[in-house]
Amino acid sequence: MELPFAEPYRIKMIEPIRRTTRSEREAWIARAKYNLFNLRSEEVYIDLLTDSGTGAMSSAQWAEIMLGDESYAGASSYYKLKETISELLGMPFLLPAHQGRAAENVLFSALIGVGKEGEGKVVPGNSHFDTTKGHIEFRHAHAIDCTIDEAFDTEIDHPFKGNVDLGKLEKVFMAHPRERIPLCLITITCNSSGGQPVSMANIRETSALCKRYGIPVYFDAARFAENAYFIKLREPGFADKAVKDIVREMFSYVEGCTMSSKKDGIVNIGGFTAFRNEETFRAATSFNIMFEGYNTYGGMAGRDLGALSVGLREACEPDYLSSRIGQVAYLGKALTAAGVPVQKPYGGHAIFIDAKRFLPKLPREEFIAQTLGVELYKEGGLRGVEIGAIMADRDPDTHENRYPALELLRLAIPRRVYTSDHMDYVAAVVINVFERRDAIKRGYRITWEAKLLRHFTVELAPAT
Ligand SMILES: *Cc1c(COP(=O)(O)O)cnc(C)c1O
């Protein structure tokens, strides 16, 4: 008999979570203005809002917390992290930041400019993450999505749906002068298109094309280890390579990266920018000091830098990655078996439910994926997140709602937090709603929204 999948860790400390009643949940979600971000965490039973900063640290990471060096400058914890990043990613220059978007702020200040200096500039790449796009648009520049078309059809089984379409990218290069394209950004894995990986071949070819046009390439590296594992699993020629070697090769094609350490760093807060080139690093340091803190701590406690240096290494361990990717696929398979339309192949950190296929009769103006998210919460205290028209925000020029090709409800799985039993529960909640989907006839309308990144704080009411 083939031995079943099992987590490569055991539980040393527990955190109680409480099941609630349907009537409690209905009252709470109404109070929350039908925005899942407005719920208190005690009101949620299984929290799949995000895999960001929600992972469980290991005993080795907790031990490192106790060794934290809190010196303002030159802390040993900083040097531990710098050595880890230099060894794992091959990037010798490091600027810590308090999270990924802070790293974006630092890198983009150096490369795109500040204030209106970004006007007329474009940043092509595969689907940019929402804060990334926010930081680009905040500088009056534009993010151009050059992801392959296959990414936008949830039924196509393409192994690397995060890939950059080289034809689309070259069109951007031909339409804009070199000085208007400060960088090309490859997000690994591509969060906004479903946690989908980018192949090594695509990274190499994108890098070569950018080199021909003199455009530097950077990674948004939040899930670099998951991306490397998918390359190992799916790309010919990589099956026998160590994840660490795959990671090194991926980074050999780029100039640097921003990283949200709250993902594959397996820490609760943190981020960094890393560079190959000393000159760019120097240009970024003054912004880091101004926005984040001195170069050797950058908004982080020394102990957290230490825990991150351990977490980055653990994230590259094959047993961990196989369990991680395996758990996400386990949930994906349970939903697929019941006919629930989910994005295929399954992503690295989340299962994405295709809300348009789930609720085909709901008009897009009533926010299809958001409606599904609210229903899942009411059904079983499960919290996912909308990646659809609310998150897509309004067009910065026309101020019209943007309706993306996909309306997705993301169930993001925190690292090393939930067991397979929890996944069985999640599948049951989704399947129950799926079975009564025809009774869901109306969605929601917006009653208040912020100017930028509105999904975090939007307020809604049932559509009438
Ligand atoms: C989470 C994330 C970010 C932003 O990082 P924060 O730590 O949340 O600020 C940027 N890019 C990607 C791809 C992400 O997943």
Side-chain angles (χ1 to χ4, degrees), residues 45-361:
Y45 178 51
I46 305 287
D47 202 349
L48 305 188
L49 180 74
T50 177
D51 63 322
S52 179
T54 52
M57 291 210 297
S58 65
S59 49
Q61 285 178 288
W62 281 107
E64 199 57 47
I65 289 270
M66 296 308 293
L67 298 174
D69 176 353
E70 306 304 337
S71 305
Y72 190 95
S76 60
S77 305
Y78 167 80
Y79 285 103
K80 274 183 196 163
L81 178 60
K82 183 172 150 71
E83 267 161 40
T84 298
I85 287 171
S86 171
E87 185 191 313
L88 281 181
L89 314 184
M91 294 287 160
F93 301 103
L94 165 69
L95 290 173
H98 78 274
Q99 60 184 96
R101 67 199 69 185
E104 290 165 355
N105 191 26
V106 169
L107 182 72
F108 295 168
S109 295
L111 296 183
I112 305 175
V114 292
K116 295 217 164 182
E117 281 172 10
E119 218 160 312
K121 294 183 184 169
V122 295
V123 180
N126 52 357
S127 299
H128 302 71
F129 184 64
D130 57 349
T131 62
T132 316
K133 198 175 192 163
H135 269 295
I136 291 168
E137 292 176 355
F138 185 68
R139 294 175 161 76
H140 306 269
H142 285 271
I144 302 183
D145 188 348
C146 299
T147 314
I148 55 169
D149 288 335
E150 288 89 334
F152 303 103
D153 185 336
T154 56
E155 286 296 307
I156 296 181
D157 206 346
H158 185 294
F160 292 102
K161 281 184 168 180
N163 278 359
V164 176
D165 183 322
L166 297 172
K168 290 185 192 173
L169 184 62
E170 190 153 26
K171 266 195 194 139
V172 175
F173 291 168
M174 293 192 303
H176 301 269
R178 157 75 191 89
E179 62 278 11
R180 293 276 173 86
I181 313 173
L183 75 156
C184 170
L185 193 70
I186 308 178
T187 304
I188 50 172
T189 57
C190 192
N191 192 348
S192 309
S193 76
Q196 298 290 327
V198 183
S199 72
M200 189 74 85
N202 190 255
I203 294 170
R204 192 187 310 120
E205 286 159 17
T206 303
S207 166
L209 179 65
C210 288
K211 212 167 244 142
R212 265 195 275 135
Y213 284 86
I215 314 284
V217 185
Y218 284 78
F219 277 146
D220 177 346
R223 297 177 184 80
F224 72 96
E226 291 170 7
N227 198 98
Y229 194 69
F230 279 123
I231 288 176
K232 184 178 169 71
L233 288 185
R234 296 180 185 169
E235 193 161 349
F238 290 93
D240 297 329
K241 292 215 164 126
V243 172
K244 280 191 177 153
D245 294 334
I246 296 174
V247 167
R248 271 303 278 258
E249 184 180 342
M250 283 159 54
F251 279 82
S252 72
Y253 300 116
V254 301
E255 286 304 307
C257 69
T258 57
M259 165 100 190
S260 168
S261 312
K262 303 170 73 175
K263 322 293 173 43
D264 278 351
I266 327 185
V267 291
N268 304 114
I269 195 73
F272 61 83
T273 319
F275 305 85
R276 180 181 309 292
N277 175 296
E278 186 166 13
E279 213 178 308
T280 327
F281 161 74
R282 280 179 190 260
T285 52
S286 22
F287 296 109
N288 212 74
I289 292 171
M290 197 158 54
F291 298 139
E292 293 299 295
Y294 179 65
N295 296 340
T296 63
Y297 75 89
M300 298 271 285
R303 53 180 172 270
D304 288 335
L305 296 174
L308 173 56
S309 79
V310 175
L312 288 169
R313 290 178 192 276
E314 289 180 352
C316 294
E317 281 170 14
D319 281 356
Y320 158 73
L321 281 167
S322 127
S323 145
R324 164 79 178 147
I325 303 293
Q327 190 179 47
V328 175
Y330 176 83
L331 175 60
K333 282 178 202 153
L335 295 178
T336 303
V340 177
V342 300
Q343 183 176 50
K344 288 186 212 88
Y346 309 126
H349 67 290
I351 291 298
F352 292 72
I353 302 176
D354 186 333
K356 275 193 201 167
R357 285 199 167 98
F358 197 112
L359 297 171
K361 290 184 200 132

